[in-house]
Amino acid sequence: MRTERNESISLELISLRTLYANKNAVWRTSVVQIIATLMIYIKTGHPIYVAFALAFFLTILCRIANATAFEQADLSTATPATLKKWEWRYLSGALTTCVLLGMLCFVSIYVLADSSAAITSVIIAVASMVALVTRNYVSPTVVVGMSVGILAPLFVTFILLGGFYNWLLALLIIPYFWSNLGIASNLRRSLFDALLGKRQLGVVANNFDAALNGMPQGLLMFDSNQTITVANMRAAKMLGFDRPEQLQGRSLEALLRLAQLGGGFTDDALGSLRVKIRDLLNGSKQRDTFVSPANRHYEFTATPDPQHGTVLVIQDVTRRADAEAQINRMARYDSLTGLPNRSQFAEIANTYPNTLQPGAQTILMVVDIDGLKRTNDTFGHRIGDELLRAFADRLASVDANHPVISRFGSDEFVLLFSATSHEEALLCVERVMATIAGQYVVSGHEILIGVHSGVAIADAAKFELAAMHMNADLALDVAKKETQKKWAVFVDTMDHSFRSKQRLKADLRRAIADGALSVAYQPIVNVRTLRMTSCEALSRWNHPEFGAISPAEFIPMAEEMGLISELTRSVIERAIKDCSRWESRIAVSVNLSSHDLQNMDMVNIIHSTLRQHDIEPHLLEVEVTEGAIITDRETTGSVLAELKDYGVQVAIDDFGTGYSSLSYLKDLPVTKVKIDRSFIADIVKEGRSLKLLRGIVQMSHELGLSVTIEGLETSEQSDLINQWIGAEYVQGYLYGAAMSADEIVKLLDIPMEQRLLAVKSDHASLLH
């Protein structure tokens, strides 16, 4: 028993000495890791890589200190517990390095998604994996720990990246992990069997040979005279030989001559390979790559030993190189159309003027496809994707000088080209627009699309990509709003308009935050009694410098800025508060936008405000337009149903100007219809308009809905509505414009019928 125990301790001590014998190699490897990490920092400028470099540096200092302590320690009487302690000390340092390598890959590939950093990080990690087995195979704990430290973060990275290709890469890590464990196990078992004498020398040699030839990497061992002493089958196949015995005993020069005679290498390829291997064997390099004439990518890693020569590990990294090339392409090109993406376009565009003749004009077009969402909704996203590819192909075929085309977003493309003059540039833009707009046949579907474009033109000598792109975007906005020819060229007034709008946006944001917007109320009158039954709350903004700003201008601006819900909330709170001052004699009506109808919080806001001011829910009416409903009918219906169940009245505003009006009346929890002013504009002169209006009112009544007619301006309109239409309520300037809450309070003490008749008389006299 004592003999077996001593042999066990002896084997453990040999294993430890083998582990700690790699101090110099570990130091050199760490230096390479630190330098490579700092190179990534220089390339990307991200400070996290400085942290990684510092972590590598501190780790190697600890590992060298630990190795020095091991060398100085007297282990002749060491116990198994002491040896295990030294093994765990070695593992802690090695595992820290491996985890740092794995996390470096995770940060570069997934967190920062920088292609250069990702490639360098993966190269460092994979290169470290190459030497892991050959240096640490004596300890299964160390091999497992270091393998997991490197491969686990890579596995998680590819899983998080998503997609079939990345998941496949993640799965390939698992057999690679087990392969390393198997190889280490075979090497360790072979070595231990030889030391213990449990097997004959031939068996040990066979096992070692099997393990060596089972390695996924090629291995060549050179002595100090650069003669091959050990080779495995993988290395022989990589160099064009059938058996490893054909390599053993040959010098490097003889090996390369035989490889050339075998027809596997050209003179240039052989010369390049000779230089690379010599540098590795001489110690001037520890790692290098080589691309064979068959386009296979190999990575060479050298582990020099001053007494016994150099071990050269050769790994086929073709798949990794292909993956890196694919990753690089994905980082630079749009996966759907194959066009350069935003970053690649910027790289090309910044050097574009250098290719042009002096005096040339550069033209930047930002092109938007109209109705792509409608195409996706109608035909499906597959057809939408095919349409985008067809559009990209047609854009690539335009008649332009040196065009550079890029896809920036879902339906946004950018075209950069040149012209000899401003006039030629405009003609070219006309040709481009004529080419890309029109009919497309996609999978048997005929799809008619329109496009809008903003154009920026500048001398090549004054080309500045960021400024031109911003100017083209401004021109695109103008083209979408104003021009009939679907495109506009940037002029300086657009920039002034843009800056004015940006200032107005900033002022609006402050005004909403400070509660500087006011609320006015327009009476809604009962047709039969001529009494005011409610008021519509209307937001008003009196700018301190520009005066009154039209709601038609600042409300769309609030929607664009994402402030519409804040604006609605302030109007609701103010309207309900003012309604409480009217002693429940009249109700108040507020408008909800499409954004408000997507937010269930709006229901809670209305509930809490009504309770706060002790207002009955039926005294509040919410108005929604058909355009607001169409965004998401399911969510909209839920919000409106909640409000109606609570007792709040629900009205469809501007009825008849949207889509599928009748289906809204049937499906949504509506209590009132407000007919748009366009329906009564010519009822005095046009009999058909009168009949149409009467039909809408009758249909609404049959559905159990009350009706308000908007836009009443003349007595003749009022008489016709009262005599022929049958609507319950009217609203318009004839019975009063929007007024303040204080004016409403003052008028509440005047008999309603007399006040409204007076207003009607005053307004009629003004019209005459």
Side-chain angles (χ1 to χ4, degrees):
M1 293 293 293
R2 181 179 295 274
T3 302
E4 292 179 358
R5 181 176 178 274
N6 290 336
E7 288 180 349
S8 176
I9 294 177
S10 177
L11 288 175
E12 291 179 13
L13 184 56
I14 291 173
S15 298
L16 280 177
R17 294 191 187 282
T18 303
L19 288 177
Y20 280 96
N22 297 313
K23 182 173 70 173
N24 293 333
V26 170
W27 170 257
R28 287 191 292 270
T29 301
S30 297
V31 170
V32 172
Q33 293 167 349
I34 293 169
I35 292 174
T37 307
L38 291 176
M39 289 174 62
I40 299 176
Y41 166 70
I42 294 171
K43 177 66 172 65
T44 64
H46 202 287
I48 193 171
Y49 292 109
V50 176
F52 272 113
L54 180 60
F56 281 125
F57 178 74
L58 294 176
T59 301
I60 187 57
L61 287 182
C62 293
R63 294 185 68 183
I64 294 301
N66 183 51
T68 303
F70 177 82
E71 293 172 353
Q72 296 173 354
D74 182 10
L75 302 176
S76 58
T77 59
T79 64
T82 302
L83 297 179
K84 181 59 67 176
K85 175 184 175 182
W86 282 105
E87 182 182 18
W88 280 103
R89 288 178 63 171
Y90 179 90
L91 174 60
S92 62
L95 184 59
T96 301
T97 301
C98 291
V99 170
L100 286 174
L101 288 171
M103 293 307 299
L104 180 65
C105 294
F106 176 82
V107 169
S108 298
I109 298 173
Y110 182 75
V111 177
L112 300 181
D114 184 277
S115 59
S116 298
I119 292 171
T120 306
S121 301
V122 171
I123 289 174
I124 298 171
V126 173
S128 299
M129 284 294 301
V130 172
L132 188 152
V133 174
T134 56
R135 288 211 301 248
N136 303 285
Y137 68 90
V138 294
S139 173
T141 304
V142 173
V143 172
V144 171
M146 293 179 69
S147 297
V148 170
I150 294 179
L151 297 179
L154 279 175
F155 181 89
V156 172
T157 299
F158 289 124
I159 290 296
L160 292 178
L161 285 175
F164 174 78
Y165 182 77
N166 290 320
W167 291 345
L168 181 59
L169 288 178
L171 290 176
L172 290 176
I173 289 176
I174 297 174
Y176 183 75
F177 170 77
W178 287 112
S179 173
N180 281 345
L181 296 188
I183 293 169
S185 177
N186 288 337
L187 291 172
R188 183 172 57 256
R189 185 167 55 251
S190 299
L191 177 62
F192 287 1
D193 286 347
L195 293 173
L196 294 172
K198 292 182 178 179
R199 297 182 182 180
Q200 297 179 355
L201 183 59
V203 175
V204 174
N206 288 336
N207 287 341
F208 179 79
D209 189 60
L212 192 64
N213 289 316
M215 291 177 60
Q217 301 92 3
L219 185 143
L220 296 174
M221 182 178 290
F222 292 83
D223 62 16
S224 57
N225 296 320
Q226 296 189 358
T227 300
I228 299 174
T229 58
V230 178
N232 67 355
M233 180 62 74
R234 184 64 175 160
K237 294 294 185 182
M238 289 178 175
L239 294 171
F241 296 92
D242 296 327
R243 302 184 310 278
E245 292 80 5
Q246 295 176 283
L247 281 66
Q248 294 174 359
R250 299 187 183 277
S251 66
L252 174 61
E253 287 300 325
L255 175 68
L256 296 177
R257 285 197 298 270
L258 287 174
Q260 186 176 30
L261 291 175
F265 296 90
T266 62
D267 290 341
D268 292 340
L270 198 66
S272 174
L273 182 60
R274 177 185 290 107
V275 172
K276 291 177 182 293
I277 294 181
R278 280 180 175 173
D279 289 342
L280 291 166
L281 296 181
N282 293 333
S284 57
K285 287 185 178 180
Q286 286 188 315
R287 187 175 290 105
D288 209 337
T289 57
F290 174 74
V291 181
S292 73
N295 203 32
R296 303 297 298 180
H297 294 253
Y298 296 103
E299 184 177 72
F300 295 83
T301 304
T303 304
D305 185 330
Q307 296 181 351
H308 303 95
T310 302
V311 175
L312 191 66
V313 177
I314 311 170
Q315 185 173 9
D316 188 336
V317 293
T318 304
R319 289 187 178 180
R320 190 185 74 197
D322 291 343
E324 290 169 355
Q326 179 66 16
I327 291 172
N328 184 58
R329 179 169 180 81
M330 291 171 62
R332 292 174 175 269
Y333 293 89
D334 175 51
S335 59
L336 180 63
T337 63
L339 295 175
N341 61 14
R342 186 187 299 265
S343 60
Q344 178 69 0
F345 176 80
E347 186 176 328
I348 298 173
N350 285 328
T351 60
Y352 185 78
N354 300 334
T355 65
L356 305 179
Q357 296 293 329
Q361 301 286 299
T362 54
I363 302 93
L364 184 74
M365 291 181 64
V366 176
V367 181
D368 264 9
I369 303 175
D370 298 337
L372 180 61
K373 182 180 185 301
R374 184 170 64 250
T375 299
N376 288 330
D377 293 341
T378 304
F379 300 104
H381 285 273
R382 183 182 65 84
I383 299 299
D385 289 346
E386 291 186 23
L387 176 63
L388 285 171
R389 283 191 286 266
F391 183 85
D393 291 341
R394 192 177 291 187
L395 192 60
S397 69
V398 297
D399 180 16
N401 189 25
H402 298 96
V404 180
I405 307 166
S406 173
R407 182 184 179 212
F408 268 45
S410 174
D411 57 357
E412 181 182 345
F413 292 78
V414 177
L415 175 63
L416 176 66
F417 59 94
S418 64
T420 58
S421 65
H422 189 86
E423 292 73 18
E424 181 188 344
L426 297 180
L427 292 174
C428 191
V429 172
E430 287 277 12
R431 292 197 301 269
V432 170
M433 295 296 290
T435 300
I436 60 180
Q439 195 88 4
Y440 285 76
V441 179
V442 180
S443 295
H445 301 284
E446 293 185 356
I447 303 175
L448 181 65
I449 69 168
V451 293
H452 283 89
S453 176
V455 182
I457 303 175
D459 291 337
K462 299 179 180 179
F463 177 84
E464 186 179 345
L465 179 60
M468 286 192 70
H469 200 155
M470 184 177 68
N471 292 343
D473 283 335
L474 293 176
L476 177 62
D477 288 339
V478 173
K480 288 182 176 180
K481 295 175 182 176
E482 300 177 5
T483 65
Q484 297 298 317
K485 59 182 179 180
K486 303 295 185 181
W487 61 275
V489 179
F490 173 80
V491 293
D492 291 338
T493 54
M494 293 180 185
D495 184 60
H496 176 73
S497 174
F498 171 76
R499 295 182 186 278
S500 298
K501 184 177 180 181
Q502 293 304 109
R503 180 192 170 184
L504 207 59
K505 284 183 177 180
D507 293 343
L508 177 60
R509 186 183 298 277
R510 273 194 304 272
I512 293 176
D514 297 341
L517 273 67
S518 61
V519 178
Y521 302 91
Q522 185 173 33
I524 299 175
V525 179
N526 185 294
V527 174
R528 303 302 178 192
T529 64
L530 293 182
R531 291 182 178 274
M532 180 171 62
T533 60
S534 63
C535 293
E536 181 179 359
L538 302 169
S539 183
R540 294 290 184 263
W541 182 21
N542 189 31
H543 193 280
E545 181 178 346
F546 304 128
I549 306 296
S550 170
E553 182 176 359
F554 74 79
I555 289 180
M557 192 179 297
E559 291 180 340
E560 180 183 343
M561 298 167 64
L563 300 174
I564 190 64
S565 293
E566 296 179 34
L567 176 58
T568 302
R569 178 171 184 165
S570 65
V571 171
I572 289 173
E573 293 175 346
R574 181 65 177 272
I576 292 177
K577 179 180 179 181
D578 289 338
C579 184
S580 68
R581 300 166 57 193
W582 301 334
E583 302 174 352
S584 301
R585 296 172 62 181
I586 60 172
V588 68
S589 177
V590 296
N591 293 278
L592 299 185
S593 70
S594 60
H595 297 277
D596 303 324
L597 295 175
Q598 305 302 308
N599 187 2
M600 290 298 294
D601 288 343
M602 189 56 63
V603 177
N604 299 328
I605 292 171
I606 291 175
H607 287 183
S608 62
T609 308
L610 287 172
R611 288 194 298 269
Q612 177 184 351
H613 296 284
D614 195 23
I615 295 295
E616 292 294 327
H618 73 272
L619 292 176
L620 175 65
E621 180 178 85
V622 295
E623 299 182 12
V624 295
T625 64
E626 295 171 273
I629 295 171
I630 198 173
T631 304
D632 185 346
R633 188 182 296 192
E634 182 177 352
T635 304
T636 298
S638 299
V639 172
L640 295 180
E642 286 267 356
L643 292 173
K644 185 180 179 183
D645 292 343
Y646 189 66
V648 175
Q649 305 298 308
V650 178
I652 295 289
D653 196 15
D654 298 335
F655 180 77
T657 61
Y659 302 95
S660 307
S661 305
L662 299 181
S663 66
Y664 295 143
L665 297 182
K666 177 175 68 70
D667 297 335
L668 294 176
V670 179
T671 58
K672 179 186 287 188
V673 169
K674 296 191 72 174
I675 299 177
D676 186 70
R677 66 181 64 247
S678 61
F679 283 88
I680 70 167
D682 56 356
I683 61 171
V684 176
K685 300 178 181 179
E686 177 58 56
R688 294 180 63 185
S689 298
L690 183 64
K691 292 178 182 179
L692 177 60
L693 181 60
R694 183 167 57 187
I696 294 174
V697 173
Q698 290 176 352
M699 177 195 67
S700 300
H701 285 164
E702 290 177 3
L703 293 174
L705 306 175
S706 60
V707 177
T708 298
I709 297 177
E710 299 179 291
L712 187 65
E713 296 185 356
T714 68
S715 299
E716 290 82 359
Q717 291 174 336
S718 178
D719 293 339
L720 285 174
I721 290 173
N722 190 37
Q723 182 178 0
W724 296 101
I725 304 303
E728 291 89 342
Y729 307 102
V730 291
Q731 177 181 351
Y733 287 114
L734 181 63
Y735 291 112
M739 61 190 71
S740 68
D742 292 336
E743 291 175 304
I744 294 290
V745 172
K746 293 177 183 178
L747 293 174
L748 286 176
D749 296 330
I750 301 174
M752 298 292 292
E753 186 174 1
Q754 295 180 18
R755 182 182 61 77
L756 292 172
L757 287 173
V759 171
K760 178 178 178 181
S761 176
D762 292 344
H763 187 75
S765 64
L766 289 174
L767 292 175
H768 293 292

